Amino acid sequence: MTDSYIMDNVPIKVALALGGGGVRGLAHIGIIRALQKDIPIDMIAGISMGAIIGGYYALNKDVVALEKKVKGIISKKDVKEIEKIVSGHSPVDEKKLIMETLLTFVKQVYLMNLRVIKRWVFSGKEIDWVFNELGLDVDFQKTQIPFVCVSADLRSGKEVIIGDGNIKDAVLASVSLPGVFPPVKRGEQLLVDGGIIGSVPVDAARAMGADVVIAVGVEALVDYNKKLGNGIDIMFQADAVRAYTLSQLRMRDADFVIYPEVGNISWASFSRAEECIKAGEAAAEAIKPQLIELINKKRRAKFWKGFFSFPKYNE
């Protein structure tokens, strides 16, 4: 049996596991653009920004239109205002900034009226327009390739893989950062950002039936030399280490991991979107030869496994 026959006739399902990380997740656009030239993308699992990017691509399979849509969205005034608020903060300060914003908000509301203290800053409706702009208010059945997104259930503490119903609702659950957006109710479940239990959905991609899982990590870098001046600094540093370590453990189960050089970019630095996209494309192009070889190796292994597993018949 020739190698060319195996390459042409043995199907291999390739899945992308796209992680979260705010604007850093736009690197997924560049990665898809690079990979689709030579490697079929058969299915996608996403968390947070990875769910947004993955959902659009699964619906349309048009990375050019995706990039155009995203750039149009980040040029909006509302998005620019978010960047102004967080400008000047390093990635390792992101969660601290969010906490400070929340504390300030709660203090202001408390002073105005004790009875109107909210459990979250936004209702979720504020970002409806983003999902509508991307055409995500449709059923999962509309996708051209299988797609799931991942959330965490506050009731059970378990990872929840969503691949049916309305895509916008599922993606909202996947991006609902606790304290910032309310949990999304789904039956008895209370769903929040899947990143709290692992920022890259490798297990979900594997559960979809993928032969090859390509994980993409876009987490912020942890500054291990950071000066820890007080208890708040220590608390957030510990959480950053926990999150990064958990993601690394998750990605061990992937067949291949891509790390675009975006870890030093703040989650809300939307003015650096183009830089993130190019970083993703460069990272994918650099590893593409090894990735193609890995896929071909998997294809050969699948062929020979099938070849030697014919049913035995009694004489």
Side-chain angles (χ1 to χ4, degrees), residues 112-131:
M112 287 190 294
N113 190 329
L114 288 174
R115 294 174 298 176
V116 297
I117 295 177
K118 296 183 178 180
R119 289 178 291 169
W120 40 77
V121 178
F122 304 110
S123 68
K125 294 180 180 179
E126 296 86 352
I127 57 174
D128 258 4
W129 67 273
V130 175
F131 302 139

Side-chain angles (χ1 to χ4, degrees), residues 266-282:
S266 171
W267 68 276
S269 293
F270 297 102
S271 60
R272 301 180 70 178
E274 182 66 28
E275 182 181 345
C276 292
I277 294 171
K278 288 182 178 179
E281 186 169 20

Side-chain angles (χ1 to χ4, degrees), residues 21-67:
V23 73
R24 294 189 299 272
L26 299 186
H28 300 322
I29 296 174
I31 286 170
I32 292 172
R33 185 164 63 194
L35 294 184
Q36 69 172 7
K37 301 173 187 176
D38 305 291
I39 297 169
I41 299 171
D42 300 300
M43 52 191 70
I44 297 177
I47 283 180
S48 198
M49 181 61 82
I52 295 173
I53 300 300
Y56 183 94
Y57 185 77
L59 279 168
N60 303 282
K61 291 190 71 173
D62 187 343
V63 73
V64 175
L66 170 58
E67 183 173 354

